[in-house]
Amino acid sequence: MLNLVLFGPPGAGKGTQSQKLIEKHGLIHLSTGDLLRSEISQGTELGLEAKKLMDHGTLVPDEVVIGMISHKLDANKDAKGFIFDGFPRTVAQAEALDQLLASKNAPILGMIALEVNDDELEQRLLLRGKDSGRPDDANPEVIRKRIKEYNDKTAPVAGFYKAQNKFKSINGIGSINEIFDEIDDVIAAY
Ligand code: AMP
């Protein structure tokens, strides 16, 4: 199974690159942000609780996202592989993912990180906020909070995969196709 984690701060291009990867390799895209926004648009209790945190740029509790991912893994038993986008975002989530995948004998092949500096991220997110309709993209204060959450809680997840020799990082600034080619080269070398 081709199980990959696409890693990087908000605005690094994970969603865009995930889309191209699932097209090329026939994988299932698991974005916890998308799953949470779908809960919000369906007006579920989980969605309403998550929205309060997401609107402030704060991470939702680990058990909520781990539960959603576990459910999706079970619902896609015949998948060729998964692209995890925006998950795991804490070391506890990474540990839980390893456990979930161990029970399926399909470990993470690697984590690919897209490196983009904070100024560029802020610009990209503000631009995206103009037409994405996402309230968390439209407000500079919330954007900075999301980047801070990333630096405090999510950046350490890289160390988790480095310790397993699974971490690769590439420059996330450039054209979409150039970055995709680099990601694909990394995948081919795994
Ligand atoms: P994203 O679409 O990945 O930028 O996520 C949007 C928001 O959803 C984040 O700012 C968090 O509030 C929440 N979220 C998404 N994925 C996770 C996760 N793995 N852990 C905790 N919160 C998450």
Side-chain angles (χ1 to χ4, degrees), residues 16-35:
T16 307
Q17 295 297 338
S18 293
Q19 218 47 53
K20 292 178 70 72
L21 284 168
I22 59 169
E23 275 163 29
K24 173 151 184 192
H25 296 284
L27 307 172
I28 305 263
H29 182 207
L30 291 185
S31 153
T32 39
D34 285 352
L35 293 173

Side-chain angles (χ1 to χ4, degrees), residues 5-80:
V5 178
L6 208 49
F7 191 66
K14 302 186 294 296
T16 307
Q17 295 297 338
S18 293
Q19 218 47 53
K20 292 178 70 72
L21 284 168
I22 59 169
E23 275 163 29
K24 173 151 184 192
H25 296 284
L27 307 172
I28 305 263
H29 182 207
L30 291 185
S31 153
T32 39
D34 285 352
L35 293 173
L36 288 165
R37 281 184 289 278
S38 155
E39 295 281 339
I40 293 173
S41 62
Q42 291 170 55
T44 66
E45 200 174 320
L46 188 158
L48 294 176
E49 284 304 310
K51 181 171 169 37
K52 293 181 200 156
L53 296 163
M54 291 164 75
D55 282 352
H56 289 97
T58 310
L59 293 188
V60 306
D62 287 336
E63 55 274 20
V64 172
V65 285
I66 292 166
M68 290 194 315
I69 289 287
S70 170
H71 182 80
K72 285 287 171 188
L73 292 176
D74 287 343
N76 290 283
K77 284 204 163 48
D78 296 330
K80 280 171 71 182

Side-chain angles (χ1 to χ4, degrees), residues 52-175:
K52 293 181 200 156
L53 296 163
M54 291 164 75
D55 282 352
H56 289 97
T58 310
L59 293 188
V60 306
D62 287 336
E63 55 274 20
V64 172
V65 285
I66 292 166
M68 290 194 315
I69 289 287
S70 170
H71 182 80
K72 285 287 171 188
L73 292 176
D74 287 343
N76 290 283
K77 284 204 163 48
D78 296 330
K80 280 171 71 182
F82 296 93
I83 299 277
F84 296 93
D85 161 9
F87 178 91
R89 253 177 161 100
T90 63
V91 172
Q93 291 177 22
E95 286 166 349
L97 180 60
D98 267 6
Q99 277 186 8
L100 287 172
L101 293 176
S103 67
K104 301 183 190 316
N105 246 332
I108 291 291
L109 198 60
M111 164 182 267
I112 303 175
L114 299 173
E115 307 278 358
V116 179
N117 64 60
D118 287 0
D119 287 345
E120 169 81 14
L121 293 175
E122 200 174 325
Q123 293 311 314
R124 285 189 189 182
L125 289 171
L126 281 170
L127 205 64
R128 186 169 86 183
K130 289 196 176 128
D131 43 34
S132 74
R134 281 181 55 172
D136 60 344
D137 280 344
N139 178 334
E141 206 178 307
V142 174
I143 287 176
R144 281 193 284 274
K145 172 71 181 172
R146 285 161 66 204
I147 295 173
K148 184 172 178 343
E149 286 277 87
Y150 175 83
N151 289 328
D152 292 349
K153 297 178 186 161
T154 305
V157 177
F160 181 87
Y161 290 96
K162 278 180 191 161
Q164 299 185 10
N165 273 326
K166 292 181 177 174
F167 179 86
K168 296 264 160 47
S169 129
I170 65 170
N171 182 3
I173 300 185
S175 79

